[in-house]
Structure formats: C-alpha cells, structure tokens
Amino acid sequence: MDGMDGPRAAARAETGAGIGFAGVTVAYGGAVALADFTLDVRRGEILALIGPSGSGKTTALRALAGFALPVAGRVTIAGRDVTGLAPAARGIGMVVQSYALFPHMRVAENVAFGLAARGVAKAEQRARALACLRLVGVEGLAERLPRQLSGGQQQRVAIARALAIRPEVLLLDEPFSALDAQIRRAMVEEVGRLHAAMPELTILHVTHDQTEALSLAHRIGILRGGRLEAAGESRALYQTPPTRFAAEFLGRANLLPVEVLGVENGAAMVRFGTAVLRARGGAGRGRRLLCVRPHALRLHQAENGFAARVDGVRWQGETHALDLVAGDTRVHLTSSALREPPRPGTMVTVGFDPADAPLLDDA
Amino acid sequence: MTRSWRGPGLGAPALALPALGLLASVVYPLALTAPTALGGGAPGRVFATSWFQAAALHTATIALAATTGCILLALMLGLVFAFLPFPGAGLVSRAIDTVIALPTFLVALAFTFFYGSAGVVNEALMALLHTDIAPLAFLYTKWGVIMIEITVYTPFVLRPLLAAFAQIDPAQLEMASSLGAGPWRIVRGIILPAALPALLAGGSLCLLLTVNEFGVLFFIGARGVITLPLLIYDKAIQEFDYPAACAVALANVALSLSLFALYRAVLRRLAADADV
Amino acid sequence: MTTLFAGRETRPVRFALWGAAWLLLLVFYAGPLLLIVLASFAGQWNGALPSHLTWRHYGQALTGDQAGSLWASLATGMIASTAALALGTTAALALRGARPAWQRIGSLAFYLPSAVPTVSVGLGLLVAYSRRPVLLNGTVAIVVLAHLAIVSAFAFGAVQAGLARLPPEYEDVAAGLGARRFYLLRRVTLPLLAPYLGAAFNLAFALSMGELAATIMVYPPGWVTMPISIFALTDRGDTFEGAALTVILAAATLLVLGGVARVVARAGGRARKDRRAR
C-alpha cells in the first residue's frame, strides 16, 4: 500500500523538495536534544550534518527516520508530511556505523529484506537484490553470511540493502567511522560515484569527520548544542565561515584578534598588533576576528604580512607545520615540505591573500 | 513528552496471558497464605515459640556462614583460574559452572558418599587408624550443611567474578608490575577493587538463595538443624498444622523479599557507580 | 591473560597456590561428585572402595516403584519450561512498548516470584487449590502450576536481559526498510533473540528437573518426579539406586540443555559471534 510509487508520485508533484525540517524540536525526558531545527535539503542533494557529539545531529536523523517523534515542528520527505508516520511507512534507506547486517540471513536475503517486507514477488526480490549487489561491486558475495565478510564488504552490502527499496532518501549515520583510513577513502569515493549514477537520490549524511563531509557533501549543516549553528554550500562555508564555532569546527583556523579601521578598494583594513592588513571586505568597525586557514598563510611573504617568532617546526612528510607566535597570538601555518625550514626562535614574516581571510564576530 | 521508538513490542493486551499465569501460580496462592495464618491466630502463637526462633536463628547463621564461604572459595578459585591458570583450568571452571544446572540435593547426596559415616573418607580413615568409630562426623551437623551449600552456591559468585576479572586490562597489571608492585600488591590494589562489585552482587544473591535452601537440609536430615523452609514442610506435611505453616511461610517470604530488595539495591548502586 | 607469580623466584608460591586450588576442588567438587557416580555403579561397598561395579542399580532405578519418575520429570519440565518461555517472552515483549514507569513496575511483578521461597509457593498452592472455587489438589495440574510458578520468573528475566542487550540498530534499519511490527518481530527480533530464548528455556528446564521443595508439598501419588523418587530411595536405604537415579536425572538434564544449545546455535545464534568478530 505504501510501495515505492507513493513517495515518488508525491515527489513529482512537488519537484525539487527532498527533505524538510521545519521548527523541529525533540526532547528526551525533559532534555531538549534538538531545538527549533529548520533546514531544507533539495532533491538529489547530499547534505552533511556535522557537529561534536551531543550536538543533536543523530537526533535530527532519528527524527527524519521516525525513531524520535518531535514535540514541535514538521518533518517532510519529498513534500509529504511524515511527522507522525511510523518508520516503516517513510520509505527511507539507512546505513549505520555498525552496518547492522542481519546475522542470520545471507547477503542476498539481507539486501532483499526491504522488498520482502513490502511483499514484492520472490523472483523480483532476488533479481533486484543481485542488481543492487552488482551496483556496489559485491555480487559474488550473495550467498555468504555477514560474519564471513570484511568490514568494507559489509559496508557495501549495507548500502545495497538500503538502495534496494529505491528510497527517496538515503540516511548515512557515521557509516565510515568503523573502517580503516584507506577503505574509508575508497568508500567515500564509492558513495560519490553511486550518487552520480542516481542523481535524484537525496542523501543525509551524519558524521563527526569534517574531511568526509567536505569531500562528499554539496552542503553542510553544523549543529551545536541542539541548534543549527550554520548551514551552507560546502566550499562557501569553509571559505567564509559565518561564526567562530563554524570556522573552528570545519577545518583548522587561525583566528586573529583585529581592529577594523575601514574599507579601502573593496578590502577591509584591519590592525593586527602593529601590522595593518587587508582582509576580505565587509562592513562594521571595532574588534573582529580575522579568519585565515593554516595553509592560506605564506611563509616569507611581506606583502599583506606580519612578523612572527618561530616556536616549533614539525615535518609531516608531505608538509611542514609551523607553530608561530605573533604578539600574544599563536598562529599555525602549513606549507608543502620546505627545503630549509626556519629554525625555532628566529623571526619570520607571513602573509596572505585578502580573499582568503574573512572577518568574523568574536562570539 | 516525546515518545520515542523502542523497537517493536506487543501491545498491552498481550500482557493478559502472562498476568493470568502470574496470578494463578503465585499471587492467588500467596494471597491466601495470609488469611490462613491469621485465621488460626497463628503468627502470635508461632513467633513466640522457641522452635520458631531456633529455626530463624539457624536460617540466618547457615546463610551467613555459607555465603561467606562461597565468597572466599570463589575468590580463591577465581584468582587461580584467571591469573594463575594451570593446564585444563578453563575446563575445570566450566565443569563447576554446570553445577548451577544440577539440583542442590544431588550435591548433598554426593557428600554423603564422600564424607558420610560410611563414606569413602571415613572408611579410609578408619582403616588407617584401626578404629570402628567414624572420625569425621561433621556432615550431619550445621557445618555439613554449610559446606554443601558452599559447594552448591559458589558458582553463583564465581561466574560474575570471572567476568569481572576478564574485564581487567592486562596492560594495567603489566604496568603495575613493571612499576615494581609485587603480585600480592597487585591482587590487593588492582584486582580486588575491580572484583568488588561482582563479589557484592554474587554474595547477596547467595544470601537470598541460602536463606531459602530446602533440598540440602531435607536430604542431609541433620538432627536439630531446622531452618524456616524445613519448618514449613514439617508443620504442613508432618503435623497438618496449616495455620502455623502459613505463619512461618509469611515470615520466610518477608525475610526473602527484604534480601531481594537488598540484592536489587546493590545491583542498582553498582550500575549507577559504573555510569560515573 | 597475564599470569601473576610468573617469575622464577616465585615458583614455590605458584605451586603452593595450585596445590591449594587442587585440594579445594577435590574436597568441594571432584571428590563428592565422582563418588556419586561411582556409588551408582557399586556392587558391594564395605571397604573404602566398592568391591566390583555393576549396572544393576540403573535397571532397578528405571523399573521399580519409581519407573514413571523419569517420564513425570521430563513431561513436567518440558510443559512448564515451554509455557514459562512463551509467557515470559510475551510479557517481556509486551512491556517493551510501555512507558518507563509501567515497564519498571511490570518487570518487578514478573521477576519478583524468583525471590519467593519455593516451599512457600508449594504451601500456598496447596492451601489455595484445596478449596473452592478451584480444586486442583491431587492432580498433575497442580505440579505443573508449581513448576510454572518457580521457573517463569527466571525465564522472563533471561528474555528481558536478552532484549536489553539487543543492539537497537538492527530493528531501526529493518523498520526503516519498511518492516512492520509483526514482520519485524518474526524476521529480525526473535531470530536475534534466539540465543537468549534458548538460555531462558534451559534455565527453566534445569530448575524444573531439580525442583523438590514445592513439588513435595503438592505432588499426587501417580506423578512422582525424580527428586522425590530419589529421596524415597535414599530414605529407605536404597542409596545406590538413589545415586543411579540421580545420575540419570543429571544426564537427562544436561542432554536436553546441550541439545537446545545446539539447535539455537544452528538456527539463529550467530548474532553474538558476529559482533565479537568486530
């Protein structure tokens, strides 16, 4: 009755709508886990929710899947209000950190589970399960038991199982964190490839790994203490973080305390210690924070630069990491490996391109 | 309040059948025990007698002594099994575990063949000492009962104890010994504190079980060693004095439920400590 | 696992501790338990050890007055444990969806009977079912009811503990994939629970096979379970036959427990092993 055609038809009626959270509030026994959460994900978009543990990202996912019922607000999938709907009626594919492959079923049965639950004919179940296994490159494992598979293989089967029901929405709940670094990179690429083959699939990806989010997601939402701190297109959010928390959580950031002097030729003039620097434009005066990423700082660049004392030098293979001190402020700089790194205790000049240095409020 | 999804359950109506079973098998019978006791004016009459008080005293001393014995034996065996294993220790520990599945009177019967007046130990000693009087006569006293109950209930402490030992990170012990701590110091300073929750939980379970033990005492038939459960049987089946039997049963149930409350409190406390 | 007393200089301590452990094992476990097996085969026993061994006691234990006991015990055990498992599983699953407060109260109610002394349960049943409105005294039903009363709480406790240990992701994912309540219970929850259901049945069955205190209060002449037969045999001096019947009781119990464990391992008990592997 609630086959895959229901939600798809609704989606056609309201093209473009993927997932909608409107003022969603979730509380567990009095403690608010998610407060007034509003966020729209377009159809076919990959959105990553990141944040420290306890920030509400898993709660948002559970509200969408139907495992946590909001006390206020509306959850929609493809324009259809699903707020009060049972999890089984939502048409969502889910991949979790532990994979949760049913240990008593063979791989093919696992992948066909959602189809069997919907009463799809046996032969079609089998065909579609095998097709999904082929899609993720493990069709040879159909008759194995989950415990006979490696972590990466289990992950692929879990993805095949979620895709077999042809879901409107795919939920990824920390899906790669149990994998080794190398397999993790391969799986992130794999999901990207799958999405390219299924451009209509909306993906909500919950993770605490910002690299994963940056490399996979079109847009990123940052949660903090149950509230949405910031949301935006991945690159823009990284390059122009709207808040101090967003800057520090998404990648590493140097936040230099500056005083804004005025605007000149579209660039903000700021004072950092004794140096006057140019930053990415913007209105306002007074005390602000200048955000510049460690890799955006150039060693020995006097142009738009300031003086700093070298405190530590660490060689990291492909890169050098320098700990610098400018006035009272610690500054981190990374560059490709240096032939002659400066010695600790010496003074250096570091500079940056104003376009790489937005101004933030100190909050 | 937010309702959150807790996995599929059966609705409340499904409780009807189990509730009916509970009602018919436990609640209704126990509910009738009280009026039967009170109807005969039994509690006042019974609780004042010397035989009731002696039974209560026996119950308490046997239970306390057996529980202490269980804790000590489990600790000794557990330390050896976990940290000083001899070849086949795992097998022996699993064999002891199966004692949990065996009826308690089986152990009592086994003890009579080993320590009884015509048992192996006594026959051997009699041949050795050229005497006709069995030298070991403890089996048919309180001490025999206590020793049998120690055998029966030690696995209930040993099992959680070994689980607790398995949780101790070997690196912690290696670290301690590389810092110069001797084995005894490691046992006192690291192993015992880690095992304390298991000992407390297993010990209070032992206390509950030994207070209610029937089969061991019934099979040994130690003269003069009457506990509350045995007294209930004697009053009801031997003397047909149901009001008196019900009065003793009320006392026994009350004692047992207080020990159960203690056991749950210990478990809850330990769970709360573990969260911190 | 780390070995304490591993060094060469502590070797005497190590051997002393092993000696003490072996002595305790002999005194408390090995000695008595081996002797009961030996006694069941003893032909004549006047000295320290029996003069010769015989199967005779086993024959007598299974044919004499107590011929029906094995059957009575097995039947009572099977019926009571199956019923206890069914009721316990139903109760645990029903309480699962309830509000936390009700869940606590319900769990306590179903688990509390495990703390009631079994003699008192027997006495209560005797008193309650010897009078109107329900007369059961002298029937097999009262024996089964007594066993049910004693083993249900343990079965319930074991199932509930299993439910609490079930990782929630399996059911979350299944529900997300569109499995509705009963389908999910049948295809996911119960198979994952299988090891715990097996353990619950085994616990109930072992307790029932050895049950003496309540049974002796209520058993009718035609339905004498093994523990009562064993007591009757030893009480009248047939101790070797008592020993033989005791060994039969232990063997029957362990055989059924082992069989259930094997069935469970084959049917759906892979969940735990699977998790350990990660």
Side-chain angles (χ1 to χ4, degrees):
Chain A
M1 40 176 251
D2 65 302
M4 296 119 286
D5 297 326
R8 288 183 101 69
R12 272 194 296 278
E14 196 178 326
T15 314
I19 304 167
F21 294 94
V24 174
T25 300
V26 178
Y28 293 114
V32 174
L34 191 66
D36 195 19
F37 181 61
T38 299
L39 183 68
D40 285 304
V41 188
R42 280 186 306 276
R43 183 167 185 204
E45 187 172 48
I46 303 179
L47 182 118
L49 278 183
I50 64 173
S53 55
S55 61
K57 55 191 194 297
T58 299
T59 304
L61 179 137
R62 293 184 71 77
L64 178 62
F67 303 132
L69 294 192
V71 285
R74 240 162 53 97
V75 180
T76 53
I77 294 174
R80 181 175 62 134
D81 188 342
V82 297
T83 314
L85 226 53
R90 298 192 181 199
I92 284 174
M94 225 171 120
V95 179
V96 298
Q97 183 178 353
S98 66
Y99 324 128
L101 296 182
F102 307 126
H104 52 288
M105 295 180 200
R106 298 193 177 276
V107 164
E109 287 174 273
N110 258 289
V111 177
F113 181 87
L115 304 173
R118 280 144 213 262
V120 172
K122 269 260 158 42
E124 196 192 336
Q125 278 180 35
R126 173 96 192 156
R128 275 170 64 178
L130 289 178
C132 286
L133 284 171
R134 201 169 311 123
L135 198 63
V136 295
V138 290
E139 65 269 42
L141 304 176
E143 298 311 316
R144 301 267 188 96
L145 283 166
R147 72 192 144 103
Q148 299 167 316
L149 307 183
S150 70
Q153 290 170 332
Q154 292 193 34
Q155 180 66 273
R156 285 167 193 267
V157 174
I159 293 172
R161 180 175 64 180
L163 294 178
I165 60 170
R166 292 180 190 152
E168 205 62 59
V169 172
L170 180 65
L171 297 185
L172 305 177
D173 187 4
E174 303 269 5
F176 310 119
S177 34
L179 297 170
D180 298 339
Q182 215 171 353
I183 304 175
R184 186 184 317 179
R185 266 196 299 278
M187 286 309 301
V188 170
E189 281 167 23
E190 177 84 26
V191 171
R193 196 179 58 76
L194 280 174
H195 187 263
M198 282 175 264
E200 305 228 310
L201 184 65
T202 312
I203 298 181
L204 184 69
H205 176 199
V206 164
T207 178
H208 65 267
D209 184 326
Q210 29 112 353
T211 325
E212 222 175 84
L214 286 169
S215 57
L216 193 56
H218 303 134
R219 279 201 306 151
I220 293 177
I222 302 176
L223 280 157
R224 177 194 192 185
R227 293 181 175 278
L228 188 65
E229 172 88 7
E233 201 216 319
S234 305
R235 185 182 290 263
L237 201 60
Y238 181 78
Q239 285 173 342
T240 322
T243 67
R244 176 180 190 151
F245 183 82
E248 288 182 320
F249 198 81
L250 196 62
R252 297 184 57 193
N254 291 303
L255 297 169
L256 312 180
V258 296
E259 195 183 343
V260 180
L261 305 170
V263 180
E264 207 174 278
N265 298 337
M269 301 303 293
V270 301
R271 179 168 28 235
F272 172 56
T274 54
V276 174
L277 305 168
R278 277 177 298 132
R280 186 107 147 241
R285 278 179 169 268
R287 306 200 63 78
R288 308 282 299 271
L289 289 172
L290 181 101
C291 170
V292 53
R293 304 282 179 188
H295 60 82
L297 285 174
R298 302 265 175 274
L299 190 62
H300 307 311
Q301 179 186 316
E303 160 76 24
N304 201 36
F306 55 91
R309 185 170 51 77
V310 178
D311 198 40
V313 178
R314 276 168 292 127
W315 178 65
Q316 298 172 323
E318 296 169 14
T319 56
H320 260 102
L322 270 58
D323 295 327
L324 310 170
V325 181
D328 302 332
T329 312
R330 300 197 71 86
V331 179
H332 301 284
L333 178 155
T334 53
S335 78
S336 49
L338 299 161
R339 201 170 295 264
E340 280 174 42
R343 258 174 300 156
T346 54
M347 294 298 291
V348 292
T349 354
V350 288
F352 56 89
D353 184 337
D356 290 337
L359 288 169
L360 308 181
D361 284 327
D362 187 1
Chain B
M1 203 186 104
T2 302
R3 258 186 328 116
S4 84
W5 197 81
R6 287 187 208 90
L10 297 164
L15 271 180
L17 212 57
L20 189 68
L22 184 68
L23 219 61
S25 66
V26 180
V27 179
Y28 173 61
L30 285 183
L32 282 188
T33 312
T36 308
L38 297 172
R45 172 165 63 88
V46 167
F47 295 161
T49 61
S50 60
W51 45 261
F52 174 80
Q53 289 166 3
L57 191 65
H58 271 135
T59 310
T61 48
I62 290 176
L64 284 172
T67 301
T68 312
C70 287
I71 290 177
L72 292 177
L73 183 60
L75 203 51
M76 166 75 200
L77 293 178
L79 281 173
V80 171
F81 288 158
F83 300 110
L84 200 60
F86 47 83
L91 205 68
V92 173
S93 134
R94 272 199 298 282
I96 291 180
D97 223 28
T98 56
V99 172
I100 290 181
L102 299 178
T104 60
F105 66 79
L106 181 149
V107 178
L109 199 56
F111 265 63
T112 63
F113 288 112
F114 201 60
Y115 297 109
S117 46
V120 170
V121 175
N122 269 320
E123 291 287 350
L125 285 174
M126 275 148 70
L128 208 69
L129 304 171
H130 304 291
T131 167
D132 287 337
I133 303 159
L136 283 185
F138 73 93
L139 188 62
Y140 305 102
T141 68
K142 207 159 67 173
W143 300 109
V145 170
I146 290 169
M147 187 171 169
I148 297 168
E149 291 193 4
I150 290 175
T151 302
V152 168
Y153 291 114
T154 292
F156 288 87
V157 187
L158 188 58
R159 192 185 269 191
L161 190 63
L162 285 175
F165 283 166
Q167 294 290 312
I168 298 178
D169 183 1
Q172 220 182 348
L173 305 183
E174 280 157 15
M175 189 60 73
S177 78
S178 75
L179 290 172
W184 299 116
R185 214 186 152 74
I186 293 176
V187 169
R188 244 181 327 122
I190 297 177
I191 296 178
L192 286 188
L196 194 63
L199 283 180
L200 280 176
S204 35
L205 180 61
C206 261
L207 203 59
L208 176 66
L209 294 170
T210 46
V211 156
N212 296 332
E213 178 53 38
F214 177 82
V216 169
L217 290 129
F218 194 65
F219 264 69
I220 288 297
R223 203 169 303 115
V225 186
I226 304 286
T227 61
L228 293 178
L230 217 50
L231 193 59
I232 296 170
Y233 172 78
D234 283 350
K235 288 293 159 196
I237 304 298
Q238 313 280 28
E239 300 175 22
F240 299 108
D241 186 352
Y242 287 109
C246 287
V248 180
L250 283 184
N252 195 9
V253 170
L255 175 62
S256 182
L257 290 185
S258 354
L259 287 174
F260 181 72
L262 173 78
Y263 173 59
R264 297 280 286 209
V266 167
L267 287 186
R268 232 194 340 272
R269 182 66 190 276
L270 295 176
D273 284 355
D275 279 348
V276 175
Chain C
M1 184 161 288
T2 314
T3 306
L4 295 175
F5 304 105
R8 180 184 293 270
E9 66 280 12
T10 52
R11 189 183 278 180
V13 184
R14 192 159 72 228
F15 282 105
L17 283 173
W18 278 350
W22 278 108
L23 186 69
L24 288 171
L25 286 171
L26 175 77
V27 165
F28 280 94
Y29 291 96
L33 293 176
L34 287 177
L35 256 288
I36 197 171
V37 178
L38 187 63
S40 71
F41 289 107
Q44 265 214 309
W45 197 340
N46 294 323
L49 290 172
S51 53
H52 66 278
L53 302 178
T54 173
W55 283 99
R56 200 179 67 228
H57 307 306
Y58 283 89
Q60 280 164 354
L62 288 172
T63 53
D65 295 342
Q66 58 288 329
S69 321
L70 179 57
W71 162 244
S73 269
L74 284 174
T76 310
M78 283 291 172
I79 296 169
S81 325
T82 308
L85 182 63
L87 294 180
T89 308
T90 310
L93 286 174
L95 283 176
R96 204 177 184 209
R99 287 171 185 283
W102 284 109
Q103 224 168 12
R104 261 199 305 282
I105 295 168
S107 303
L108 190 63
F110 282 110
Y111 195 62
L112 203 58
S114 69
V116 176
T118 47
V119 189
S120 309
V121 172
L123 177 70
L125 287 165
L126 187 63
V127 168
Y129 292 111
S130 300
R131 64 172 74 174
R132 301 199 169 279
V134 188
L135 283 166
L136 290 176
N137 194 7
T139 66
V140 175
I142 198 169
V143 179
V144 174
L145 205 56
H147 283 231
L148 187 65
I150 287 159
V151 304
S152 288
F154 292 96
F156 168 78
V159 175
Q160 202 180 38
L163 273 177
R165 270 183 221 158
L166 226 57
E169 306 93 72
Y170 290 107
E171 294 177 326
D172 285 359
V173 166
L177 289 170
R180 287 169 191 282
R181 194 206 285 179
F182 289 102
Y183 188 83
L184 209 167
L185 273 176
R186 187 165 59 78
R187 291 286 316 272
V188 177
T189 312
L190 287 177
L192 289 175
L193 213 51
Y196 298 99
L197 298 180
F201 178 89
N202 275 352
L203 182 59
F205 186 76
L207 283 171
S208 171
M209 288 294 278
E211 213 301 313
L212 174 69
T215 317
I216 205 160
M217 306 289 283
V218 298
Y219 77 96
W223 196 256
V224 184
T225 59
M226 278 202 275
I228 292 170
S229 282
I230 293 165
F231 179 74
L233 284 171
T234 56
D235 201 38
R236 67 172 192 238
D238 295 332
T239 47
F240 296 150
E241 278 165 43
L245 198 55
T246 306
V247 173
I248 293 171
L249 166 61
T253 306
L254 295 179
L255 223 61
V256 171
L257 301 198
V260 170
R262 276 181 72 112
V263 169
V264 164
R266 216 173 313 143
R270 298 162 189 141
R272 254 184 307 178
K273 212 179 278 173
D274 185 49
R275 233 181 313 151
R276 211 177 307 132
R278 277 203 291 276

